[in-house]
Amino acid sequence: MKTICLYFQIHQPFRLRRYRFFDIGNDHYYYDDFQNEEIFRKVAGMCYIPANRAMLEMIKNSDGKFKVAFSITGVALEQMEIYAPELIDSFKELLKTGCVEFLTETYAHSLSSLGDPNEFRTQVKMHIEKVESVFGVIPKVFRNTELIYSDDLSEIVYDMGFHAMLTEGAKHVLGWKSPNYMYASAVQPDLKLLLKNDRFSEDLSLRFADYSWTEYPLTADKYMSWIASTSEAEQVINLFLNYEVLGSLHASSTGIFDFFKALPRFAAQKNISFSLPSELFDKNEAIDKIVVPYPMSWVDEEKDCSSWMGNVLQKEAFRKINEISERVRLCSDRRILQDWLYLQSSDHFYYMNTKHYNLFSPYDNPYDAFNNYMNVLSDFILRVEAQYPSSIENEELNSLLTTIRNQGHEIEQLEKKIERYESREKEKPSASSGEMGKIAKNLKKVPI
């Protein structure tokens, strides 16, 4: 029986305000609060909230046969809590159905997997903790930022305790192979992989509202017929989409919501089920291994990482922020740690993309994006170096901080001992009034 594994990405960065050269060293607040709130509330109203209602309706109308997974970044969850707390409640309602699963990824939707394994591990752990604190569940399946994957990364992911990961079914990796099977990492065979079906995913994300498309208009019946017509041996169809496909990238007037609501009914007619990623990983074994020596992603025709790391601007910005990563991780300043996360979102590097026009960029061109980001980063580096001077080597600095922490721990222990001694002295019984009277009489008998 064929099954569809449908999962959505939900992410919104904290966009930067116009930060001038003369702001460096004088103003340490970097974010465009008005734009961030306006965009998030708009997308929530057009997409997230009505889409969640549609998903809940699909689950109920199909008697729980429709299932869906979500990968929500930590920074997106933060914005939900700030700007649209009702959205958190709607996700909790979906979770109660038992037909929804949350995936884990990097907290800030960062590119740390491409340059900083320690930061990557830290952000994944942070994301797991955030999902658990908000929804009360611990994600079992990993999905990296923009489905970025490589052989080296698979070892790190497996070492972190994951046995299941979602990624792209890129043609240059698969060759003649089909993405509609379970695979495994070539260097870590115990890490199972589900690969995105590029054609069926892009039929919805790119071509659904394209009037020039020969298959326009796309109906749920036609779409399910295509899936049903795939080889009988190909049992798993993985669909990965940005959640904004519903209502934002494709307006509700295109019929996108009605299309999705009809999917469970036509799937049942074609004897096609829906499954959560964790269910598929538990039930299926890998039929083969895939070799990915260089990082791949789900973006553009190349399916590589050139959209974020393809030009000199992006590489320089990425190099500069990674230079201070070790010092930031030694830091305990909450504001610095928060800014560190927000500045790592992959969106900042995507805005510097010179490959094609970026519809979602808040900048006029990639060079403005680079200049603005580097101004912010320059101020951020000054703040970090004010606490941890660059004149001190990282190893020496780490040793000094360890000594300071140990001394702080010793002082804390000594203060506790003092408190215990003081409390004991207070608890000692004092002389009673009768005893005091006897002492007074005895004093009178003493000759002066």
Side-chain angles (χ1 to χ4, degrees):
M1 182 179 185
K2 287 189 186 297
T3 189
I4 294 173
C5 180
L6 174 64
Y7 46 102
F8 291 103
Q9 166 187 297
I10 301 176
H11 169 64
Q12 289 292 334
F14 280 95
R15 295 163 186 82
L16 304 176
R17 69 177 180 86
R18 295 289 177 173
Y19 195 85
R20 310 297 180 186
F21 174 80
F22 297 103
D23 292 328
I24 299 173
N26 298 312
D27 190 342
H28 305 318
Y29 193 77
Y30 310 136
Y31 312 104
D32 190 333
D33 291 334
F34 177 79
Q35 186 182 47
N36 287 325
E37 180 175 2
E38 181 184 40
I39 290 175
F40 196 90
R41 288 186 182 278
K42 179 181 178 181
V43 175
M46 294 172 58
C47 168
Y48 300 153
I49 292 175
N52 276 6
R53 284 199 296 263
M55 296 297 144
L56 186 61
E57 182 181 332
M58 291 162 71
I59 291 170
K60 290 180 177 179
N61 290 345
S62 65
D63 294 324
K65 293 179 181 178
F66 174 74
K67 299 177 181 180
V68 61
F70 295 95
S71 181
I72 312 175
T73 65
V75 291
L77 285 171
E78 285 188 27
Q79 291 185 69
M80 289 181 193
E81 291 170 330
I82 298 170
Y83 304 129
E86 68 276 15
L87 189 52
I88 297 283
D89 295 333
S90 68
F91 275 112
K92 288 180 178 179
E93 189 176 3
L94 281 171
L95 187 61
K96 287 179 182 177
T97 64
C99 300
V100 168
E101 178 177 5
F102 290 109
L103 311 175
T104 194
E105 65 160 272
T106 57
Y107 188 95
H109 201 65
S110 76
L111 302 173
S112 54
S113 61
L114 298 177
D116 192 340
N118 291 328
E119 179 64 22
F120 174 75
R121 293 185 183 93
T122 300
Q123 286 201 30
V124 172
K125 290 176 182 176
M126 285 184 65
H127 187 261
I128 292 171
E129 291 169 0
K130 184 67 174 180
V131 172
E132 185 180 13
S133 68
V134 175
F135 298 114
V137 294
I138 299 177
K140 299 177 182 178
V141 179
F142 182 72
R143 183 211 80 107
N144 195 22
T145 304
E146 307 295 348
L147 296 185
I148 292 172
Y149 175 85
S150 69
D151 290 338
D152 291 340
L153 179 60
S154 70
E155 289 194 276
I156 298 173
V157 171
Y158 182 79
D159 288 342
M160 291 187 68
F162 291 99
H163 295 271
M165 183 173 177
L166 305 174
T167 187
E168 172 64 33
K171 293 177 182 177
H172 72 272
V173 169
L174 287 176
W176 57 268
K177 298 175 184 176
S178 167
N180 303 331
Y181 294 96
M182 180 83 69
Y183 289 91
S185 163
V187 296
Q188 188 45 262
D190 290 331
L191 180 69
K192 296 179 181 178
L193 303 172
L194 280 177
L195 310 183
K196 167 177 161 265
N197 185 299
D198 206 41
R199 174 207 161 183
F200 290 133
S201 296
E202 293 188 354
D203 282 344
L204 303 182
S205 61
L206 299 180
R207 294 181 280 272
F208 181 82
D210 184 0
Y211 293 97
S212 64
W213 185 31
T214 55
E215 297 294 343
Y216 182 88
L218 180 61
T219 64
D221 185 16
K222 184 194 296 185
Y223 188 70
M224 283 302 167
S225 296
W226 291 346
I227 292 178
S229 65
T230 57
S231 172
E232 188 175 342
E234 299 177 5
Q235 294 295 305
V236 182
I237 310 296
N238 300 295
L239 305 179
F240 167 66
L241 304 168
N242 191 319
Y243 208 28
E244 292 175 38
V245 163
L246 284 87
S248 184
L249 298 178
H250 299 318
S252 58
S253 59
T254 63
I256 190 70
F257 286 104
D258 293 330
F259 172 86
F260 267 86
K261 289 177 183 178
L263 286 179
R265 177 163 60 91
F266 287 104
Q269 290 179 8
K270 299 289 190 295
N271 199 30
I272 298 172
S273 66
F274 289 87
S275 298
L276 297 174
S278 59
E279 293 176 337
L280 292 176
F281 285 116
D282 289 340
K283 295 176 182 177
N284 296 276
E285 294 298 325
I287 65 161
D288 199 1
K289 301 173 185 177
I290 61 168
V291 179
V292 188
Y294 304 105
M296 67 175 178
S297 77
W298 73 288
V299 175
D300 296 334
E301 185 67 28
E302 299 89 348
K303 305 299 180 186
D304 58 13
C305 298
S306 59
S307 288
W308 307 276
M309 300 283 288
N311 62 42
V312 175
L313 305 178
Q314 294 166 316
K315 290 176 181 177
E316 173 62 15
F318 190 68
R319 182 191 66 81
K320 201 71 177 174
I321 194 169
N322 277 307
E323 279 184 349
I324 58 168
S325 62
E326 200 169 335
R327 289 171 182 272
V328 174
R329 280 193 291 274
L330 297 172
C331 182
S332 58
D333 188 312
R334 189 185 66 82
R335 281 290 303 277
I336 286 180
L337 293 174
Q338 184 183 57
D339 291 339
W340 168 246
L341 282 173
Y342 295 170
L343 290 177
Q344 286 189 80
S345 291
S346 62
D347 309 74
H348 303 306
F349 300 91
Y350 193 72
Y351 299 149
M352 303 174 200
N353 190 346
T354 53
K355 290 173 61 178
H356 47 67
Y357 175 71
N358 191 337
L359 180 64
F360 303 102
S361 175
Y363 304 97
D364 294 332
N365 57 66
Y367 306 99
D368 283 348
F370 174 77
N371 288 332
N372 200 68
Y373 183 80
M374 294 305 285
N375 284 343
V376 170
L377 189 56
S378 296
D379 182 80
F380 180 75
I381 292 173
L382 288 176
R383 290 166 58 200
V384 174
E385 291 188 345
Q387 294 194 25
Y388 308 111
S390 57
S391 58
I392 305 175
E393 295 294 332
N394 284 340
E395 290 184 7
E396 183 183 356
L397 182 61
N398 195 20
S399 176
L400 289 171
L401 288 172
T402 301
T403 302
I404 292 170
R405 291 192 187 102
N406 290 339
Q407 289 176 344
H409 180 70
E410 289 178 15
I411 292 170
E412 185 180 344
Q413 295 299 317
L414 290 171
E415 287 177 343
K416 288 181 179 178
K417 284 184 180 180
I418 293 171
E419 288 177 4
R420 285 200 297 270
Y421 289 138
E422 288 178 344
S423 63
R424 286 175 186 173
E425 289 296 322
K426 289 179 181 178
E427 290 174 1
K428 285 183 178 180
S430 58
S432 64
S433 57
E435 290 174 333
M436 291 300 292
K438 290 179 182 178
I439 292 170
K441 287 180 181 179
N442 290 330
L443 285 172
K444 287 179 181 178
K445 295 178 182 178
V446 176
I448 300 175

